[in-house]
Amino acid sequence: MTYCVGMRLDAGLIFMSDTRTNAGVDNISTVKKMHSWEIPGDRSIVIMTAGNLATTQSVISLLDERTKAPEDRKPSILEAPSMFQIAREVGRTLKEVIAANATTGMEADGAFGATMIVGGQIAGSPPRLFLIYPEGNFIEASEDTPFFQIGETKYGKPILVRALHADMSFEQALKLLMVSFDSTIKSNLSVGLPLDYIAYAADSLRIGYAGRVAQDDAYYQAVSNGWGEALTLAFDQLPEFTFD
């Protein structure tokens, strides 16, 4: 399992993903689930993946290969004219990889399923964020739906719904994401640190802020401990229930 979040802010786009993958409680490893491409001054693209590891790695490898080999550059996400066309190409590639690996029936399709978050900006257009489904179709983030989650979504969603607002700074958004991921990590062993993040500033057309939150990261630990204490304090301050 995994957990990834992409947000649309006034300041730009922000992404965070965990790195844990497992095939059982005794087979756990670290795999990067966030991938980025850029042509400074022209475009910046970020893709996060969740689902069957063989499927997601095949899709990323195909997309990456088409950016490098001249004979395979049609279609290439580095030459697509819009983020919408990039989302279409990612969806098409994902659908093809699933179909190539599956046998027949819903069970096989589900076993090789995957979802992806695609975001970025191409010069002359605003930043855009998409959620790609295994069938290859997709939806776009909007003012009403300013964030997407993939993977283990339920534990980290409540804080995002309550606290996210479009005029947040990247620093505030990263703090919010760490709370969301901490809630998920504490509730599900299949999600874990390190965490990767990218903050893309609108109209910069380059990957600006990128990093990894390690197991011993002091700020993450402070947020985790502080959030737990704040929840306990808030609970204690709620009015007491009484039996009439």
Side-chain angles (χ1 to χ4, degrees):
M1 189 52 94
T2 188
Y3 183 41
C4 303
V5 181
M7 291 180 179
R8 196 185 85 160
L9 305 172
D10 292 342
L13 304 173
I14 190 163
F15 308 85
M16 182 172 277
S17 66
D18 85 316
T19 55
R20 176 169 291 185
T21 183
N22 66 291
V25 295
D26 59 347
N27 185 14
I28 296 173
S29 59
T30 297
V31 175
K32 190 174 181 64
K33 303 167 188 175
M34 183 182 296
H35 311 271
S36 63
W37 298 260
E38 68 175 354
I39 300 177
D42 178 69
R43 67 189 60 204
S44 292
I45 304 162
V46 177
I47 298 178
M48 296 186 294
T49 64
N52 181 272
L53 186 59
T55 297
T56 58
Q57 288 188 341
S58 293
V59 172
I60 295 300
S61 294
L62 283 169
L63 294 172
D64 195 46
E65 186 68 20
R66 292 168 186 166
T67 69
K68 296 176 181 177
E71 64 275 13
D72 293 331
R73 285 183 179 170
K74 300 295 182 182
S76 167
I77 59 174
L78 294 185
E79 296 183 356
S82 68
M83 285 302 304
F84 178 84
Q85 292 297 330
I86 290 174
R88 285 189 63 185
E89 180 55 29
V90 174
R92 185 183 302 115
T93 305
L94 175 58
K95 183 179 180 180
E96 290 174 356
V97 169
I98 292 174
N101 286 283
T103 54
T104 58
M106 294 298 292
E107 183 177 351
D109 293 342
F112 290 96
T115 52
M116 298 184 171
I117 293 174
V118 178
Q121 185 177 18
I122 294 177
S125 301
R128 301 176 76 176
L129 185 69
F130 300 90
L131 173 61
I132 315 293
Y133 295 106
E135 295 79 10
N137 56 341
F138 54 87
I139 59 174
E140 184 174 2
S142 64
E143 291 184 5
D144 295 326
T145 309
F147 70 90
F148 290 134
Q149 303 167 282
I150 55 176
E152 187 54 80
T153 62
K154 56 184 176 291
Y155 302 109
K157 185 174 183 177
I159 184 62
L160 299 179
V161 172
R162 289 177 179 271
L164 175 62
H165 50 88
D167 59 353
M168 272 185 162
S169 67
F170 284 138
E171 292 82 359
Q172 290 173 319
L174 273 172
K175 179 171 63 174
L176 177 60
L177 282 171
M178 288 191 187
V179 172
S180 178
F181 273 75
D182 180 66
S183 299
T184 305
I185 290 169
K186 281 183 166 53
S187 302
N188 193 315
L189 291 175
S190 67
V191 178
L193 282 81
L195 309 176
D196 291 323
Y197 67 85
I198 287 177
Y200 170 76
D203 300 324
S204 65
L205 297 173
R206 61 185 298 272
I207 302 298
Y209 307 101
R212 172 164 284 194
V213 180
Q215 295 279 356
D216 58 351
D217 186 89
Y219 179 74
Y220 177 84
Q221 295 302 327
V223 169
S224 177
N225 295 333
W227 180 242
E229 293 169 0
L231 283 176
T232 300
L233 179 62
F235 177 78
D236 290 341
Q237 291 178 342
L238 292 173
E240 295 295 335
F241 175 83
T242 58
F243 291 98
D244 294 331

